[in-house]
Amino acid sequence: MANKDVPRRDFLKGAGVAVPLAATALAGGLASCAEETTTAAAPAAAPEPMLTLTATEAAFLSACYDTIIPADDLSPSGTDCGLVTYIDRQLAGAWGGGARMYRSGPFLQTKPEYGYQLPLSPREYFAAGIAATNAWTTKTYGKEFDRLEPTQRAEALTQMEQGKAEFAGIESKIFFDAVLQSAMEGFFADPIYGGNRNKASWRMVGYPGLPATWAAKAEEYRGKKVSIEPQSIADFS
Amino acid sequence: MATKMKSVDAVLVGMGWTGSIMARELTKAGLTVVGLERGANRSPKEDFALPGIRDELKYRLRHQLMLDTATETLTMRHMPNETAAPMRRWGAFPMGDGVGGAGTHWNGVTWRTLPSELVLKTHLTERYGRNAIPADLTIQDFGVTYDELEPHFDRFEKLCGTSGKAGNLKGQFQEGGNPFEGARSDEYPTKPLIMSQAGLIFTEAAKKVGMHPFPTPSSNVSTAYTNPEGQTLGACQYCGHCEYFGCESNSKASPNICLMPVLNADPKFELRANSYVKNLVYDRQAKKVTGVIYINRQTGEEIEQPADMVVLCAYPFNNVSLLLSAGIGVPYDPNSGKGVVGKNFCLQTMSNVQLFVEQEINPFIGTGANPASVDDFQGDNFDHAGLGFFGGGYLYPSMSGGRPIQVRATPPGTPRWGSEWKKATTDWYNHNFAISAHGTSYAWRTNYLDLDPTYKDAIGRPLVRMTFNYSENDRKMSVFLTDRVMEVARAANAKILGNPNPRTGNFDNISGQSSHHTGGAIMGTDPSTSVVNRYLQNWEASNLFVMGGAVFPQNPGYNPTGLLAALAYWSAQAITTQYLKAPGPMMQA
């Protein structure tokens, strides 16, 4: 996706490839997982359908997630791990719609320590943040974010992270934190949510997932490396 | 017009630890009891089952078991002259919800408290002189002593099957226990949990610097245990999904498994879940609360439940809110220092440092309760002369599960994303843990609760307004305590140490602070400085009792559950042995 001539929607084709890999792992093809996770994405079939994200939004988030979690020998890229699917489902669902969030006014401009105070639901906030970022990169680099070169993307995200990117309406640093948080959730959450495909992040760090019990092993494993196949909710269901 | 129910002997507002303890004690005394719970009923078998309960995103990040802030939250501000803003999502802490309350999602750390903490003002005055206590440090005595509470601490530990090692058995020092604790009448019901690698590193390092580590008392029980109520807990499975989660192996003591099965089988008790109490019915002339008005959250119906006795067993914020909206007791005024309702709201003063070590930590093999603690710098266990603050806390290695969305520290200077971040995360995930300080939060004149003038909950009641910031006293205490953390950390031969974070900045709703809230309806022996007397009976309405952390005049440096449960048993004993014989004030004002 570094190639600026590639149309932005093509990220969706690459993303689809991880699905059969995950299916293989769940079916018990465990021995081959290590090689599969590090295999570059092959050309895939159909683009993945989105529940709520527009093509522009999906391309933006794909580019963010691949910068935050680049493909290397430790894991596939954020997009190939399913992070765009993850955030699409989250934003389309109850959380994205503002569930479990107090949404009555007045809406104060107050101390940052008091936390999020905007009237926007997470779905609306991501829409506003993506539009604001694209407007800023267009002004600064002449292009929308997903069309930037990888080094420019990293530079743009760094500017946002440090609060140096001046957005209209929302604060770039806080929006960056929201995108980063969503990346970490999608990367490390149980694969049931659409990210962490093939338990890529759990394999990366050595998190074994959710075995039912360690009581019998708590002493035996103490201070020793535990190398076991990670198991997710789907593996127990 | 509310539908009026048949009167009962006692109605309880909230069915967490104190509600279920009080329900059990009152029904045993022959009373008919209705327990009203705002949230849903929960059964461990259905609601805490594998594999779904091991879902970090759902329970830890999206707060599935917690109070829904869309319906009810708090407003916050640092100082009384500011405009408060609502906590639109949980950031600093969540609040529990549903049957079991915070006792469902707690970590199971079960402390008694130091004898000196219960008589704090007297103790500090005697040791350091009256002039040593600053005017804004509005600390008080609890009005009850450790010796009076000892049998009740013991009862709660036996209810939970608490695992631990005594340090002081009937005045005799016990090797391997906490040498600073008050005298215990009995050992812990079950032996300590298996010590984790982080626990071993901490224990060795603490000993090296002359401190006295011991296994943390834990109600994640080490072996199967049947409590005096006939309820059986399973052995802890070290699954690393404790705090914020329900326990699928029934090894974390909770109201749901320790008491609710007995209550549900008792015809004298009726549980009404999804029942949100909006008001106390107060007869100002008779000085009696004649019942409560609640909303059935499934039908929207408004219902009046009359009762001879009302016990507030909800979370501190809700207990204070009900007192304020009923106009029972004089609201606290932070300028004059007069008034009592809402006074002395406290939190907990936390800090830590991350250790990056050679050893394999296996953070995913963990219990809710931290494996070990030292109490050398708790409360007034050390000389405060010339230090410029009071209070302290216990130190512990914090590692209760390696759930990776949140538990994946990297050394200082590591970027938060990109290939370098991935490499550091991979290198250090299994090689780090934190040593933390769990510090006192001592009452300060400007920290209090009242009702917000602007923001309302889903049924139109004012939100509770929390005016709180870390006080000058607690900031100095935190700097001192964090230095002690660093002493242990430096003795642990870590390859890299993180940056310590004493609480010197403002309280915020962005990062986790602490979910231990106390005060607002404090206990004491003088009605001009407390809301309830030493038996947790309201000074004004003698048939009204208040339970929970709300009654603590200030928060000792311990997780509050052990103390608030012991106080519930203490109050229940006074009610059943004294009050019921001659209902009326148990202490004269």
Side-chain angles (χ1 to χ4, degrees):
Chain A
M1 269 162 283
N3 188 339
K4 62 187 170 197
D5 299 325
V6 177
R8 59 159 54 123
R9 284 167 193 78
D10 271 15
F11 91 90
L12 297 165
K13 294 179 183 170
V17 77
V19 174
L21 293 186
T24 308
L26 295 184
L30 304 173
S32 57
C33 284
E35 296 108 85
E36 282 171 342
T37 50
T38 54
T39 304
E48 198 156 327
M50 292 282 116
L51 295 170
T52 183
L53 293 177
T54 66
T56 300
E57 289 170 336
F60 173 90
L61 288 166
S62 174
C64 284
Y65 293 150
D66 290 350
T67 312
I68 290 167
I69 299 168
D72 55 25
D73 57 356
L74 294 171
S75 86
S77 72
T79 301
D80 285 346
C81 287
L83 268 59
V84 181
T85 305
Y86 166 80
I87 192 64
D88 179 56
R89 291 183 189 172
Q90 287 293 308
L91 292 176
W95 178 79
R100 292 185 163 265
M101 186 174 182
Y102 185 78
R103 298 189 70 196
S104 300
F107 295 91
L108 308 176
Q109 291 192 323
T110 184
K111 291 181 172 177
E113 293 100 313
Y114 299 167
Y116 185 84
Q117 293 294 336
L118 298 176
L120 306 171
S121 69
R123 176 65 186 96
E124 294 164 336
Y125 182 69
F126 268 73
I130 291 167
T133 310
N134 276 335
W136 176 73
T137 59
T138 302
K139 198 171 129 197
T140 310
Y141 300 97
K143 288 175 192 165
E144 293 195 339
F145 180 81
D146 66 292
R147 294 178 186 273
L148 301 178
E149 297 294 339
T151 51
Q152 288 177 313
R153 288 180 185 172
E155 185 186 289
L157 288 185
T158 303
Q159 293 289 307
M160 290 166 66
E161 182 178 23
Q162 295 171 353
K164 290 178 186 161
E166 291 194 13
F167 287 8
I170 67 166
E171 289 181 58
S172 63
K173 183 181 186 311
I174 294 178
F175 178 61
F176 173 83
D177 285 345
V179 172
L180 182 66
Q181 176 66 19
S182 71
M184 296 303 156
E185 288 173 2
F187 191 48
F188 287 108
D190 192 282
I192 199 170
Y193 293 100
N196 194 11
R197 281 188 182 152
N198 201 21
K199 293 167 260 190
S201 70
W202 292 2
R203 291 174 205 285
M204 180 180 102
V205 299
Y207 175 62
L210 47 152
T213 173
W214 293 106
K217 302 277 188 187
E219 272 180 296
E220 183 190 329
Y221 284 166
R222 185 168 56 202
K224 299 197 181 94
K225 193 167 174 56
V226 178
S227 298
I228 63 166
E229 175 62 23
Q231 290 178 291
S232 67
I233 289 172
D235 298 325
F236 280 84
S237 301
Chain B
M1 193 63 199
T3 307
K4 202 163 179 172
M5 307 293 279
K6 188 166 158 266
S7 186
V8 293
D9 294 330
V11 64
L12 314 180
V13 180
M15 283 305 293
W17 271 126
T18 63
S20 55
I21 286 170
M22 193 53 78
R24 178 67 177 134
E25 296 306 295
L26 296 182
T27 49
K28 272 198 325 204
L31 272 60
T32 53
V33 178
V34 164
L36 300 173
E37 166 55 45
R38 170 185 60 196
N41 197 0
R42 291 203 182 104
S43 100
K45 201 174 155 214
E46 285 293 320
D47 297 307
F48 310 150
L50 281 175
I53 193 66
R54 303 267 169 87
D55 184 338
E56 184 186 11
L57 185 73
K58 179 177 175 180
Y59 292 102
R60 179 63 188 86
L61 283 97
R62 302 284 188 257
H63 301 121
Q64 189 66 30
L65 294 178
M66 306 299 178
L67 177 61
D68 179 352
T69 49
T71 63
E72 187 185 344
T73 183
L74 306 170
T75 65
M76 67 183 283
R77 58 179 182 174
H78 291 136
M79 289 298 285
N81 60 356
E82 295 173 341
T83 301
M87 297 172 77
R88 295 188 178 277
R89 291 189 286 219
W90 296 132
F93 50 75
M95 277 192 255
D97 192 37
V99 172
T104 297
H105 71 76
W106 69 321
N107 257 336
V109 182
T110 311
W111 293 101
R112 297 182 170 200
T113 195
L114 289 179
S116 58
E117 284 288 326
L118 294 169
V119 291
L120 186 65
K121 188 156 189 193
T122 302
H123 169 86
L124 294 180
T125 304
E126 283 171 2
R127 185 167 178 186
Y128 302 103
R130 187 162 294 277
N131 294 336
I133 302 173
D136 284 346
L137 192 68
T138 53
I139 53 173
Q140 298 182 189
D141 292 358
F142 278 66
V144 62
T145 65
Y146 176 84
D147 289 343
E148 287 172 312
L149 285 184
E150 201 287 332
H152 307 285
F153 283 123
D154 184 65
R155 256 192 102 182
F156 185 61
E157 288 163 1
K158 288 181 169 133
L159 180 76
C160 294
T162 308
S163 299
K165 177 76 193 83
N168 179 348
L169 204 49
K170 297 173 182 152
Q172 300 297 307
F173 171 72
Q174 306 290 308
E175 191 66 42
N178 178 4
F180 297 95
E181 70 178 346
R184 305 169 53 89
S185 58
D186 205 352
E187 225 336 328
Y188 284 94
T190 55
K191 66 180 185 194
L193 292 156
I194 297 167
M195 190 72 76
S196 66
Q197 182 64 42
L200 290 180
I201 296 171
F202 171 84
T203 299
E204 196 187 313
K207 279 184 184 160
K208 223 186 271 179
V209 294
M211 298 185 198
H212 300 84
F214 56 90
T216 304
S218 158
S219 294
N220 322 131
V221 306
S222 58
T223 55
Y225 172 80
T226 301
N227 74 14
E229 302 286 357
Q231 304 305 303
T232 299
L233 290 88
C236 178
Q237 298 300 307
Y238 302 80
C239 76
H241 292 73
C242 201
E243 188 176 36
Y244 289 82
F245 300 82
C247 180
E248 108 285 343
S249 66
N250 283 352
S251 52
K252 175 169 70 175
S254 67
N256 313 69
I257 60 169
C258 292
L259 282 165
M260 288 313 295
V262 184
L263 288 168
N264 290 334
D266 187 339
K268 290 197 171 302
F269 176 74
E270 187 191 344
L271 170 70
R272 292 185 206 145
N274 297 302
S275 300
Y276 180 70
V277 176
K278 58 177 282 195
N279 253 321
L280 305 179
V281 186
Y282 185 44
D283 182 338
R284 192 168 297 276
Q285 223 151 25
K287 296 195 169 171
K288 289 275 184 295
V289 177
T290 60
V292 304
I293 306 273
Y294 69 93
I295 307 259
N296 177 328
R297 292 181 58 243
Q298 291 176 322
T299 63
E301 193 183 2
E302 204 166 290
I303 298 162
E304 181 177 347
Q305 177 59 62
D308 291 345
M309 194 174 115
V310 175
V311 190
L312 304 185
C313 302
Y315 208 58
F317 300 108
N318 299 80
N319 288 346
V320 170
S321 164
L322 288 169
L323 290 168
L324 287 170
S325 55
I328 300 172
V330 181
Y332 175 68
D333 173 1
N335 296 314
S336 66
K338 299 263 173 16
V340 287
V341 185
K343 181 182 171 178
N344 283 15
F345 173 74
C346 295
L347 189 64
Q348 204 87 74
T349 314
M350 312 290 290
S351 60
N352 65 44
V353 66
Q354 211 72 29
L355 284 77
F356 299 88
V357 298
E358 182 83 44
Q359 295 95 325
E360 303 282 347
I361 294 300
N362 295 332
F364 39 84
I365 305 179
T367 57
N370 50 281
S373 301
V374 299
D375 228 7
D376 297 56
F377 296 96
Q378 179 64 266
D380 198 41
N381 284 347
F382 57 105
D383 187 1
H384 285 75
L387 291 178
F389 68 87
F390 290 113
Y394 71 90
L395 316 183
Y396 66 103
S398 37
M399 185 42 75
S400 63
R403 304 180 301 267
I405 301 175
Q406 292 208 311
V407 183
R408 44 177 176 80
T410 52
T414 306
R416 295 158 77 203
W417 47 280
S419 279
E420 204 183 320
W421 164 80
K422 272 170 77 175
K423 177 153 193 332
T425 302
T426 305
D427 288 346
W428 293 107
Y429 170 77
N430 212 41
H431 295 275
N432 82 85
F433 69 99
I435 297 181
S436 304
H438 189 284
T440 45
S441 177
Y442 280 170
W444 197 255
R445 184 179 58 83
T446 50
N447 290 338
Y448 74 110
L449 303 175
D450 67 352
L451 298 178
D452 193 274
T454 307
Y455 295 95
K456 308 267 191 267
D457 72 7
I459 61 164
R461 299 185 78 244
L463 297 182
V464 169
R465 177 168 63 181
M466 173 180 65
T467 304
F468 180 83
N469 207 350
Y470 295 107
S471 70
E472 190 187 307
N473 179 78
D474 289 353
R475 289 178 191 217
K476 285 183 191 162
M477 186 282 297
S478 184
V479 168
F480 176 87
L481 206 52
T482 311
D483 284 346
R484 306 287 79 72
V485 167
M486 287 302 285
E487 265 186 69
V488 182
R490 278 192 286 263
N493 296 321
K495 290 165 95 173
I496 304 170
L497 285 183
N499 299 317
N501 61 351
R503 284 283 191 242
T504 51
N506 287 334
F507 172 78
D508 71 65
N509 189 38
I510 298 160
S511 55
Q513 309 282 310
S514 167
S515 52
H516 304 158
H517 307 102
T518 66
I522 65 179
M523 64 189 293
T525 51
D526 176 354
S528 71
T529 58
S530 57
V531 173
V532 292
N533 65 26
R534 70 195 295 261
Y535 304 109
L536 313 192
Q537 178 183 39
N538 184 245
W539 287 108
E540 190 174 308
S542 64
N543 71 334
L544 175 69
F545 293 80
V546 184
M547 302 290 120
V551 306
F552 295 9
Q554 58 276 330
N555 200 4
Y558 296 112
N559 311 54
T561 301
L563 178 55
L564 65 87
L567 286 168
Y569 273 125
W570 155 258
S571 174
Q573 185 186 59
I575 292 169
T576 55
T577 60
Q578 294 179 52
Y579 175 80
L580 291 177
K581 285 179 191 149
M586 287 191 278
M587 280 180 84
Q588 290 311 316

